[in-house]
Amino acid sequence: MSKRGVITVISGFSGAGKGTIVQRLVEQYGYAVSISATTRAPREGEVDGVHYFFKTNEAFEEMIRHNELMEYAGYVDHYYGTPRDYVMQQLEQGIDVILEIEMQGALQIKERFPEAVLVFITPPSYEELQARLTGRGTEGADVITKRLHRAAEECAYMEKYDYIVVNDVLEDCVTQVHQLVQSIHLKREHQQELIAKISRDFADHAR
C-alpha cells in the first residue's frame, strides 16, 4: 500500500535547540527537511541552498506575489518562509517532511494543511534558554534581550500546538519527537487504505 508522508512542524523559542534536533532527525532517521527562505544575513558557516535560501526583501516579496510559499512570517526584522514545491514532492514520495518554522508560519500551515502536526520545543527553564542564547556567541546582548522578550510573548502559542516536548537531554528529545511523528502514520485518517483492505478481507470471508 502506498504511504503518503506527513508534515511535522517544529517550532519553539529561539535558542531552544530546534536546529540541532532537526539535524539529528535527518541524520538518524532519514527525514526530509524543508529549506526555508529568509531575508536575514547568513551566520558563519551557513551556506545558501543548504541551510537557507538567502533572499533580498524584493526577491522574497516576489515569491509571496507568485504564491510560491506555503507560509511566511516576519520575525526580528526579517522574513522567513517555506517554499511549496519541494515539500509537496517529498510527501508524494512517501517521505516525512519536517518544517522548522516560527509560530506564525506554523499556524498558517495548520490552517492550510489540517493534517500537519505541530510540535513545540521548549527548554526546561528561562534560565536555560538565556544560557543557550548567550553560549552560542552569535549575537550581541541587545539581540539576546529582544529574543528573550519575544520568547515570553511566544509562550501563548504553546496552547495552539499539538505536542509540547522539553529539550533537556538532547538525545531523549530527538527520540521522543521521532516516536511521536511515526505514531501519526497509525492515526485513522492516515490508514484509510488499510481500513478498506481489512474490511474487504473480512467481508469476503464472512460470506
Side-chain angles (χ1 to χ4, degrees):
M1 282 178 287
S2 61
K3 183 195 83 167
R4 193 172 192 272
V6 299
I7 300 173
T8 301
V9 178
I10 292 183
S11 307
F13 310 123
S14 177
K18 304 182 298 295
T20 302
I21 291 165
V22 170
Q23 182 180 355
R24 295 292 180 89
L25 288 168
V26 171
E27 292 173 351
Q28 295 178 21
Y29 301 109
Y31 289 93
V33 59
S34 173
I35 301 173
S36 295
T38 183
T39 57
R40 76 159 170 78
R43 295 176 182 147
E44 184 176 354
E46 289 183 332
V47 178
D48 183 47
V50 175
H51 300 95
Y52 284 93
F53 296 113
F54 293 101
K55 303 288 185 180
T56 63
N57 278 350
E58 293 77 13
F60 196 101
E61 289 167 358
E62 187 76 4
M63 295 177 74
I64 295 172
R65 285 194 292 273
H66 287 89
N67 197 32
E68 296 174 12
L69 299 167
M70 294 176 67
E71 56 77 31
Y72 66 93
Y75 179 73
V76 190
D77 304 324
H78 296 293
Y79 279 131
Y80 292 82
T82 302
R84 180 186 301 273
D85 288 348
Y86 174 80
V87 173
M88 295 297 104
Q89 291 167 6
Q90 299 302 305
L91 294 177
E92 291 301 324
Q93 294 174 35
I95 300 171
D96 296 330
V97 181
I98 294 175
L99 277 57
E100 182 194 342
I101 56 180
E102 304 301 330
M103 292 78 166
Q104 292 169 295
L107 297 182
Q108 290 180 41
I109 291 291
K110 190 69 169 179
E111 182 177 348
R112 297 170 187 174
F113 304 90
E115 72 277 13
V117 179
L118 305 190
V119 180
F120 194 100
I121 303 295
T122 178
S125 67
Y126 175 93
E127 290 78 13
E128 178 63 22
L129 181 61
Q130 185 177 40
R132 291 178 188 180
L133 287 170
T134 303
R136 68 188 187 183
T138 58
E139 296 160 333
D142 56 337
V143 175
I144 290 173
T145 298
K146 183 183 289 188
R147 291 192 184 281
L148 289 169
H149 286 165
R150 179 67 178 261
E153 298 170 354
E154 289 172 338
C155 287
Y157 282 96
M158 287 192 282
E159 293 288 347
K160 301 180 183 295
Y161 275 66
D162 299 308
Y163 300 94
I164 311 298
V165 181
V166 176
N167 182 18
D168 189 0
V169 178
L170 176 62
E171 288 306 323
D172 290 349
C173 183
V174 171
T175 299
Q176 288 174 344
V177 174
H178 171 63
Q179 292 174 342
L180 187 161
V181 174
Q182 292 312 301
S183 73
I184 302 305
H185 285 288
L186 305 181
K187 292 184 70 174
R188 172 185 48 76
E189 52 265 41
H190 293 287
Q191 295 278 49
Q192 292 304 304
E193 287 188 40
L194 178 61
I195 291 170
K197 176 183 180 300
I198 296 297
S199 298
R200 286 194 302 270
D201 285 349
F202 276 78
D204 289 343
H205 284 86
R207 289 173 184 170

